[in-house]
Amino acid sequence: MTEGAARLRQPSMADVARTAGVSAQTVSRALRGSPNVNPETKRRVLAAVDQIGYRFNSAARALSSGRSHTIGLVLLASGGYYSRSAVTAGVEAAAGEAGYAVSIATIAALDTGLMERSLSKLADQGVDGFVIAVPLISVTPKMEDITRDIPTVTLDGSRTAGARVLGIDQQEAGRVATQHLLDLGHRQVWHISGPDEWIEARQRRQGWQECLAAAGIEAPPPLEGDWSPDSGYRQGQIIAMIPDVTAVFVASDEMAFGVIRALRERGRSVPDDVSIVSVDDIALAAYGSPPLTTVRQDFYRYGAAAVALLLRGDDAGVDESVVTASLSVRASTAPPRSG
Amino acid sequence: MTEGAARLRQPSMADVARTAGVSAQTVSRALRGSPNVNPETKRRVLAAVDQIGYRFNSAARALSSGRSHTIGLVLLASGGYYSRSAVTAGVEAAAGEAGYAVSIATIAALDTGLMERSLSKLADQGVDGFVIAVPLISVTPKMEDITRDIPTVTLDGSRTAGARVLGIDQQEAGRVATQHLLDLGHRQVWHISGPDEWIEARQRRQGWQECLAAAGIEAPPPLEGDWSPDSGYRQGQIIAMIPDVTAVFVASDEMAFGVIRALRERGRSVPDDVSIVSVDDIALAAYGSPPLTTVRQDFYRYGAAAVALLLRGDDAGVDESVVTASLSVRASTAPPRSG
DNA sequence: TGAGCGTATGTTATCGATGCCATGAGTAAC
DNA sequence: GTTACTCATGGCATCGATAACATACGCTCA
């Protein structure tokens, strides 16, 4: 009964209520900004909170309200650390603004089992929604079960039960890049794409194909990398062996670094012999040699937009497009030698 | 009273108990792997879980057990997306393995107020521990209050009340880099450091200074960047104006890209005129031109080690060092021209 | 003036898992 | 054969916030 004994327990709403001389319910209302609270009462409650150092218990809130105010973000460990990082920041910023926490799950590889496990893990954590920034190669029944129950937004265009899709127009990126090369006077444009499992990769490739088709050019067979500089290097070696290649559209900046190195090593200069356009505009793009001409991607904004779409509620199943493909023209492109 | 009506509520432990013909308490024990459960009973429980699709409610668990099984990770939005990304992945992997979720908070800039807010936010979410991967420029009383109550590991060597420190020996990185240049025959090594608020930056600089001192060389004044390629470019322009510079130790790969470009533009070739060593070994380091000689940093491992240290409990206040600075020698370094 | 309504507040039951204590069955020891 | 102890299990209170319902007051308008 030592009233003065050190208090080990964190103060609770009841403690605040006692201090402020109101009921716990009123404290709850005051703190959540319910309209029906006397301003004076609210002031007293806030003062009490401050005085006793109250910090609200989100577990209790989650239990009684049934909502955790947490968003689960699913990422892929491989596949460009830049985009991952930027998407994460965007998601977190938008979520934080709306009072949501962000819990992450990274999957090591594009594998259905790993994906199921990650979704499960986040679902067990009680997330209120998912942002999936990984291509859903194939959607299993188990995954559908989860995304049917929990609102989901996918960032790469893959569809699953109940999920909404943040449509980023990657075809446009492909078109813009290809058109830039054609505008410079190139008569043919080769392509090194990302892995075929990625919808981004497929869409960029489609944009490239369409653009060539519109110009009446038959597209050469596309080569495929895995987003890594290393894979770009390998595909670049192949390109270097093909005569008459004057322009290549590479699906990511990191691969482009590899491609350029491979071309250089074979005596093909960029941009004098071969022009390169890529996609992403990472911080280092301006510091390649030559600096890369590239289609800017605003990953931060994509992340934020995904959260906005997720939280907006089920008012519409409408997809939404946020991209505006803008080209950063630098020094990796030039008119072909013979004009 | 329509027993057959669709069940909207998620199944709870009580439902599992009913199905398996045991008490809820036994279900709880069975699922958490308590030793005192009959294997047969356990089997029945697991079968019931499977049958009715039970998914445990982490909010309820957190409330009654007082622990959320969540780790809060604090990151800085600027300052190298590669390290951020890799640290995150490492933290998440190690946490996941131990049954912990990871909740992130990114702060936009090195600002005490932002830091306080982020820690608060995570504390409100009820995280069981912090991994702070941001330099704590100055530790405020409010921050101390939080880190005193909640176990904390800092990844960059800054100290706060009750926090343990994962000591990564960045001095060693500085020494290794500098020594490599001296071994090649350079008589003087310049340095472009990271921002002074970062302990990493300070430690690398110290390592560089010590190494020079040990060789009886007086260190030139260090230049300071902000980790970005852009800042490397600006400092590189300054370096380029100084005659007789033959070797530079740059505190990060990204800055090194900028430095090399600046030197090139001023007609100084790398590595013929100037050798460059940096730190990090990001994926693109091998694809710079020239490919960068750089000290490898295993950020993923740092992240994982931080979690291990955090979860190991308070058995010791001992710091722990996990770094082994290993040099990736590539083409940005060479003996000085005059031998 | 009293029915009706809106506002501010209190009371109680509830969310779902777990901590603590109790119980009964089996078994080893004296 | 009683004591003592372990193992498997159940009952109940509890964590802290909130939803749902209840109450009290004051105002408006017929």
Side-chain angles (χ1 to χ4, degrees):
Chain A
M1 287 297 151
T2 47
E3 261 297 291
R7 140 166 287 151
L8 290 171
R9 197 169 50 77
Q10 287 279 81
S12 79
M13 223 169 222
D15 300 317
V16 176
R18 207 168 310 122
T19 308
V22 295
S23 76
Q25 183 57 226
T26 300
V27 173
S28 170
R29 278 190 280 247
L31 293 182
R32 280 181 306 155
S34 155
N36 297 343
V37 174
N38 188 311
E40 162 59 15
T41 306
K42 185 164 178 177
R43 204 194 47 68
R44 281 221 316 279
V45 169
L46 292 178
V49 164
D50 228 46
Q51 184 192 327
I52 68 177
Y54 167 72
R55 156 151 291 155
F56 94 118
N57 182 320
S58 64
R61 165 188 290 207
L63 179 59
S64 70
S65 73
R67 311 200 307 129
S68 66
H69 283 263
T70 298
I71 290 174
L73 172 61
V74 185
L75 298 162
L76 185 59
S78 56
Y81 47 82
Y82 173 67
S83 58
R84 201 175 341 138
S85 201
V87 166
T88 304
V91 165
E92 202 241 317
E97 202 137 312
Y100 279 76
V102 177
S103 189
I104 54 171
T106 313
I107 63 178
L110 274 182
D111 173 279
T112 312
L114 290 175
M115 179 70 116
E116 279 182 354
R117 219 165 314 149
S118 284
L119 288 177
S120 260
K121 218 180 79 180
L122 288 173
D124 281 347
Q125 289 168 30
V127 299
D128 290 337
F130 285 110
V131 171
I132 301 183
V134 168
L136 301 173
I137 12 171
S138 72
V139 179
T140 64
K142 192 166 163 192
M143 281 159 61
E144 297 240 313
D145 278 353
I146 296 176
T147 58
R148 206 192 323 275
D149 286 350
I150 301 177
T152 301
V153 169
T154 62
L155 247 176
D156 79 320
S158 29
R159 295 197 167 273
T160 175
R164 271 169 306 158
V165 177
L166 184 69
I168 298 174
D169 193 351
Q170 297 289 357
Q171 284 190 36
E172 177 67 9
R175 270 193 299 268
V176 167
T178 309
Q179 191 61 50
H180 171 67
L181 291 167
L182 295 180
D183 289 347
L184 285 170
H186 294 274
R187 316 293 286 271
Q188 178 58 289
V189 177
W190 287 68
H191 180 43
I192 298 177
S193 76
D196 202 54
E197 297 94 61
W198 288 70
I199 296 207
E200 280 100 319
R202 288 209 289 272
Q203 289 182 339
R204 287 176 196 166
R205 192 172 61 221
Q206 270 172 33
W208 161 74
Q209 273 164 339
E210 276 177 21
C211 185
L212 288 183
I217 300 170
E218 194 187 347
L223 300 168
E224 184 179 323
D226 66 6
W227 303 126
S228 72
D230 218 62
S231 71
Y233 181 73
R234 289 192 302 270
Q235 300 307 315
Q237 287 179 315
I238 295 173
I239 291 277
M241 295 187 307
I242 304 172
D244 303 330
V245 174
T246 68
V248 184
F249 163 44
V250 182
S252 83
D253 287 346
E254 299 208 347
M255 290 198 292
F257 272 84
V259 172
I260 290 173
R261 165 115 176 262
L263 291 173
R264 280 268 174 75
E265 286 179 3
R266 306 277 169 145
R268 309 280 273 273
S269 140
V270 176
D272 296 337
D273 298 319
V274 181
S275 284
I276 303 277
V277 180
S278 50
V279 186
D280 280 352
D281 204 4
I282 64 176
L284 283 178
Y287 292 92
S289 64
L292 303 179
T293 294
T294 181
V295 180
R296 156 162 278 141
Q297 292 275 77
D298 196 343
F299 291 108
Y300 182 93
R301 194 153 140 248
Y302 299 162
V307 171
L309 184 56
L310 185 64
L311 297 182
R312 185 182 311 153
D314 283 10
D315 50 355
V318 191
D319 300 359
E320 173 145 334
S321 184
V322 294
V323 88
T324 34
S326 80
L327 191 69
S328 297
V329 179
R330 301 204 182 89
S332 65
T333 49
R337 240 185 223 297
S338 53
Chain B
M1 288 300 146
T2 46
E3 260 300 290
R7 138 166 289 151
L8 290 171
R9 196 169 51 80
Q10 287 279 81
S12 79
M13 227 171 220
D15 300 316
V16 176
R18 207 168 307 122
T19 310
V22 295
S23 75
Q25 182 56 226
T26 300
V27 173
S28 170
R29 275 190 283 248
L31 292 183
R32 277 181 307 155
S34 156
N36 298 344
V37 175
N38 189 312
E40 162 59 15
T41 307
K42 185 165 179 175
R43 206 195 45 68
R44 281 220 318 278
V45 169
L46 292 179
V49 164
D50 229 46
Q51 184 193 325
I52 68 176
Y54 168 73
R55 157 151 288 155
F56 93 116
N57 182 318
S58 63
R61 164 186 290 207
L63 180 59
S64 70
S65 72
R67 310 201 307 126
S68 66
H69 283 262
T70 298
I71 290 174
L73 173 61
V74 185
L75 298 162
L76 185 60
S78 56
Y81 46 83
Y82 172 68
S83 59
R84 203 176 339 141
S85 200
V87 165
T88 304
V91 165
E92 201 240 320
E97 201 136 313
Y100 279 76
V102 177
S103 189
I104 54 171
T106 312
I107 63 177
L110 274 182
D111 173 280
T112 312
L114 291 174
M115 179 69 114
E116 278 183 356
R117 220 167 311 150
S118 285
L119 289 177
S120 260
K121 217 180 78 179
L122 288 173
D124 282 347
Q125 288 167 30
V127 299
D128 290 337
F130 286 109
V131 172
I132 302 183
V134 168
L136 300 173
I137 10 168
S138 71
V139 179
T140 65
K142 193 167 165 192
M143 282 160 62
E144 297 240 314
D145 278 352
I146 296 176
T147 59
R148 207 193 322 276
D149 287 348
I150 302 176
T152 301
V153 169
T154 61
L155 247 176
D156 79 321
S158 28
R159 295 197 166 274
T160 174
R164 271 170 304 159
V165 176
L166 183 69
I168 298 174
D169 192 353
Q170 297 288 357
Q171 283 190 35
E172 177 67 9
R175 270 193 299 269
V176 167
T178 310
Q179 192 61 50
H180 170 67
L181 292 167
L182 295 180
D183 289 348
L184 285 170
H186 294 275
R187 316 293 287 272
Q188 178 59 289
V189 177
W190 288 68
H191 179 44
I192 299 176
S193 75
D196 201 54
E197 297 93 61
W198 288 72
I199 297 206
E200 280 100 320
R202 287 208 290 270
Q203 290 182 339
R204 287 175 196 167
R205 192 173 60 217
Q206 268 170 34
W208 161 75
Q209 273 164 338
E210 275 176 22
C211 185
L212 288 183
I217 301 170
E218 194 188 346
L223 301 168
E224 184 180 323
D226 65 6
W227 302 128
S228 72
D230 217 64
S231 71
Y233 179 74
R234 288 191 302 269
Q235 301 306 314
Q237 288 179 314
I238 295 173
I239 291 276
M241 296 188 304
I242 305 173
D244 303 329
V245 174
T246 68
V248 183
F249 162 44
V250 183
S252 84
D253 287 347
E254 298 208 348
M255 288 199 293
F257 272 84
V259 173
I260 291 173
R261 165 115 176 263
L263 291 173
R264 279 266 174 76
E265 287 180 1
R266 305 278 169 141
R268 308 282 272 273
S269 142
V270 176
D272 296 337
D273 297 318
V274 182
S275 286
I276 304 278
V277 180
S278 51
V279 186
D280 282 351
D281 205 2
I282 64 177
L284 283 178
Y287 292 93
S289 64
L292 303 180
T293 295
T294 180
V295 180
R296 156 163 278 141
Q297 293 274 78
D298 196 341
F299 291 108
Y300 182 94
R301 193 151 142 252
Y302 300 163
V307 171
L309 184 57
L310 186 63
L311 297 182
R312 186 183 309 153
D314 283 9
D315 51 356
V318 191
D319 300 358
E320 173 144 334
S321 184
V322 294
V323 90
T324 35
S326 79
L327 192 69
S328 297
V329 179
R330 301 205 181 89
S332 64
T333 50
R337 241 187 223 296
S338 54

